[in-house]
Amino acid sequence: MAQAILIVEDEEKIARFIELELLHEGYQVEKSQDGREGLDKAQSGQFDLMLLDVMLPGLNGFEVLRRLRRDSNLPVIMLTAKDTVMDKVAGLDGGADDYMTKPFAIEELLARIRLALKKSSASDNTGKDSVLRCGALTLDTLKYEARYDGRLVELKHREFELLRVLMENKNIVVSRDILLQKVCGYDYMGETNVIDVYVRYVRAKLDDVYQVKVIQTVRGVGYVIKDSEA
Ligand code: CA
């Protein structure tokens, strides 16, 4: 699906010029000439990026940005007519992702748009990847929470790490050695069967409670978590 870009710029000629270039590049484009209207549109959640002029009727660009940032991470590139350090500092401090000084080369603007979109989709993905799932089991690696069927499972640090490694390698058998390195660290000097002990702890908190078999033993090799057939 085409990415949508909002242009908030009161100079019609500039706005039209950018719009044509963006359409040519395959983006969806919408324009606004007024700061207040631009803010409303930006808050609608329909856009992937906003180009925002500083000197605008209604609300100026810095004020639009300030209000937008209360509840939105929408990538914003400021368009400023004045090449003053103050403007740049104010724009970036206010949460702009980038800024362009007018007049600018369109190629440079397009490159910065691509970069800002790439950064924002990368951070979106990080957000999604922070939750690992396997059947009814979910592991939120940012909140450090494990849940089975939505119910919280209290795990100690190494028990959580054990599940994390197994879930990151879902359907792949992970050897005891690898588990030991990842769960206990490379310099771990204790008993190698410590992994079996953690597996036992996790089973006591998961399998025994929910009558399931989350971690499978592969004799002589290690352990695996498989997608449940159910
Ligand atoms: Ca302007």
Side-chain angles (χ1 to χ4, degrees):
M1 211 179 76
Q3 286 171 304
I5 296 179
L6 174 64
I7 305 172
V8 185
E9 163 68 83
D10 60 326
E11 285 161 82
E12 180 54 29
K13 267 169 74 181
I14 295 178
R16 181 70 185 142
F17 170 65
I18 299 172
E19 178 184 38
L20 289 174
E21 293 289 338
L22 292 178
L23 289 172
H24 182 70
E25 294 293 312
Y27 296 109
Q28 284 179 15
V29 181
E30 200 167 315
K31 288 181 299 177
S32 174
Q33 300 190 5
D34 176 275
R36 204 170 291 276
E37 184 196 81
L39 176 63
D40 282 346
K41 287 186 177 178
Q43 286 172 326
S44 70
Q46 298 172 46
F47 296 96
D48 298 292
L49 182 141
M50 169 163 64
L51 300 176
L52 179 61
D53 185 28
V54 174
M55 300 299 282
L56 287 168
L59 286 176
N60 77 47
F62 293 134
E63 188 57 23
V64 171
L65 182 65
R66 196 179 68 78
R67 297 192 189 185
L68 179 73
R69 279 291 175 261
R70 287 177 191 160
D71 57 9
S72 167
N73 291 319
L74 180 72
V76 175
I77 298 177
M78 304 290 291
L79 306 175
T80 164
K82 296 172 290 177
D83 183 15
T84 65
V85 175
M86 273 313 290
D87 269 6
K88 288 175 185 174
V89 170
L92 294 175
D93 277 358
D97 296 80
D98 209 343
Y99 59 86
M100 294 287 297
T101 305
K102 291 186 272 187
F104 47 78
I106 191 70
E107 309 309 334
E108 192 183 349
L109 178 63
L110 293 173
R112 293 193 187 204
I113 288 173
R114 281 193 295 272
L115 185 70
L117 287 171
K118 204 168 144 191
K119 270 196 215 156
S120 106
S121 79
S123 63
D124 282 358
N125 287 340
T126 317
K128 278 173 204 146
D129 287 346
S130 72
V131 180
L132 302 167
R133 292 169 206 284
C134 186
L137 180 64
T138 60
L139 225 56
D140 188 323
T141 58
L142 288 183
K143 290 190 199 156
Y144 228 75
E145 264 178 19
R147 289 179 182 274
Y148 194 88
D149 243 352
R151 278 165 293 186
L152 204 60
V153 181
E154 299 280 353
L155 295 173
K156 298 259 172 62
H157 172 71
R158 284 181 173 176
E159 298 162 0
F160 188 93
E161 289 302 318
L162 174 78
L163 276 182
R164 183 216 292 264
V165 175
L166 288 172
M167 286 177 78
E168 282 172 348
N169 295 280
K170 202 159 65 174
N171 300 319
I172 299 169
V173 179
V174 185
S175 73
R176 279 188 182 74
D177 286 345
I178 297 287
L179 285 170
L180 193 65
Q181 284 176 11
K182 301 222 172 191
V183 174
C184 302
Y186 284 90
D187 50 0
Y188 180 75
M189 298 294 282
E191 297 290 316
T192 51
N193 70 355
V194 67
I195 289 301
D196 304 311
V197 175
Y198 290 128
V199 168
R200 213 153 59 228
Y201 290 159
V202 171
R203 282 177 173 159
K205 293 176 178 181
L206 266 180
D207 298 24
D208 299 354
V209 176
Y210 297 101
Q211 305 298 307
V212 287
K213 205 160 165 41
V214 174
I215 302 175
Q216 320 271 327
T217 305
V218 181
R219 290 205 188 285
V221 185
Y223 296 97
V224 62
I225 286 185
K226 291 183 185 169
D227 263 326
S228 55
E229 286 95 283

